[in-house]
Amino acid sequence: MADTGLSWGGIGVRFLVAILLVYATWNPTGYSYTDWAIMPLFGADDAAVGGSAPLKFLAGLVLLTGWVLYLQATHRSLGAAGAALVAAVCGGIVWLLASWGAFTMQGPTIAHAVLLVLAVILSLGMSWSHVSRRMSGQVDADLVE
């Protein structure tokens, strides 16, 4: 079987990029693209937030490109049912850990849990074609040259 290029490091990089994408877009700390570029449009003082309009535009395009790449790969490899299944498994893990007292699901903790689950879904979506090819030996139709 040909090498698929999949490694734990590759999955880790995909996960780190997904975390960066999700947290850069929005997070409960107040340091995100949404707080910097979008919220001033709804009443916050733009001068207080800082940054020029062209910079905000370009940063938005970079984030949008990342979302399109991750969502398209996730849709192609997992589909809606697969993404829902991954979300359900992650939700069950979060619920179990919360029931064991590992953390409380109050305040910003629940937002961080949702963001982490979203990053897991996106990174699995980016990695799943490699994983299924390695496990089954079957190649996705869009990978055939």
Side-chain angles (χ1 to χ4, degrees), residues 35-47:
D35 294 310
W36 175 58
I38 307 286
M39 293 313 291
L41 299 174
F42 297 101
D45 182 18
D46 190 49

Side-chain angles (χ1 to χ4, degrees), residues 21-112:
L21 178 65
V22 168
Y23 271 82
T25 302
W26 180 84
N27 64 70
T29 66
Y31 296 102
S32 68
Y33 179 78
T34 304
D35 294 310
W36 175 58
I38 307 286
M39 293 313 291
L41 299 174
F42 297 101
D45 182 18
D46 190 49
V49 178
S52 67
L55 182 59
K56 291 178 182 182
F57 176 76
L58 288 174
L61 285 178
V62 168
L63 286 173
L64 180 62
T65 301
W67 278 103
V68 167
L69 289 172
Y70 267 81
L71 288 174
Q72 186 176 40
T74 299
H75 177 70
R76 285 183 176 170
S77 64
L78 294 178
L85 183 59
V86 172
V89 168
C90 289
I93 292 169
V94 168
W95 185 11
L96 180 65
L97 291 173
S99 74
W100 286 347
F103 50 85
T104 61
M105 294 303 289
Q106 297 174 350
T109 305
I110 196 162
H112 288 292

